[in-house]
Amino acid sequence: MTDKERPYTQAEIIKLASKTAIEVYDKKCKEQARYIRKRYIDNTKKLLRGYRELQTHIAEAVSNTTESMPSQLQAVLAEVFDAKGFIKVVAIAQSKERTEVMLSHVDAMLSAYQRQCEYNNEPYFNVVWRYYINKEKMAEIADVVGVEERTAWRYADKGIEDLSILLWGAAAWQPCKGKDLTKWAKSCQ
């Protein structure tokens, strides 16, 4: 009887099953880490694309009746107040405040990244700012920066990755943790 024809021992089966389970788990962890990174990068892009609109929200949102013009007051009262009074105004004020805090953080991180790129003589911040904030075409940005359009896209991708780390911190790059194995194992049942 050859090795291929003999049945596996219980120890060999356990060892092979363990090895296979670890390989599957490692693959699942890598997939999860890629998904998390992609989600943070997508959130960074979305935040930068809406940057100007968020600034407008902070500047223009009416969060109390003293901020509204008398001619606007009737419309504000009809559309914003509910039957009990100021609940919707409070929601607008809270939204404005959260947006303000968020944009303060974004501004601080953009400023830090700009300084970092200027110090290192890197074009990443400039490309990200022009594309996502100023909404310029990538071909135009490439001409200004003096590179091919594909290179400008790579600069934008690198800038977004860097900004994601600055904006979201270590949470954007957490590796898979052992406790996730339990969740995954339950989902397989």
Side-chain angles (χ1 to χ4, degrees), residues 65-85:
T65 56
T66 61
E67 291 178 5
S68 64
M69 302 293 288
S71 61
Q72 297 172 330
L73 189 55
Q74 291 296 335
V76 170
L77 289 171
E79 292 180 22
V80 178
F81 293 167
D82 67 1
K84 294 181 181 179

Side-chain angles (χ1 to χ4, degrees), residues 23-37 174-176:
E23 289 171 359
V24 169
Y25 175 70
D26 286 344
K27 183 179 176 186
K28 195 74 169 169
C29 282
K30 288 176 185 174
E31 288 172 8
Q32 181 183 15
R34 271 194 303 274
Y35 172 76
I36 289 169
R37 285 186 192 109
Q174 285 183 5
C176 187

Side-chain angles (χ1 to χ4, degrees), residues 80-136:
V80 178
F81 293 167
D82 67 1
K84 294 181 181 179
F86 298 99
I87 293 175
K88 289 186 182 178
V89 173
V90 169
I92 292 171
Q94 288 172 344
S95 172
K96 182 178 179 178
E97 185 178 316
R98 283 192 308 268
T99 304
E100 221 168 89
V101 169
M102 180 180 64
L103 269 191
S104 291
H105 175 66
V106 171
D107 288 340
M109 293 305 102
L110 284 170
S111 180
Y113 189 55
Q114 181 180 20
R115 287 190 308 271
Q116 177 185 332
C117 286
E118 286 172 356
Y119 180 80
N120 293 322
N121 199 27
E122 297 169 332
Y124 309 126
F125 173 83
N126 189 26
V127 172
V128 167
W129 184 267
R130 289 173 172 270
Y131 184 74
Y132 289 98
I133 308 297
N134 291 346
K135 308 215 185 301
E136 295 176 28

Side-chain angles (χ1 to χ4, degrees), residues 8 11 17 40 45 47 54 57 61 65 68 102 117 120 125 128 148 152 154-155 157 184 186:
Y8 289 108
Y40 279 106
K45 289 177 181 179
L47 188 59
L54 292 169
H57 173 73
T65 56
S68 64
M102 180 180 64
C117 286
N120 293 322
F125 173 83
V128 167
E148 295 293 321
R154 282 194 294 274
Y155 288 171
D157 290 344
W184 176 74
K186 287 181 182 177

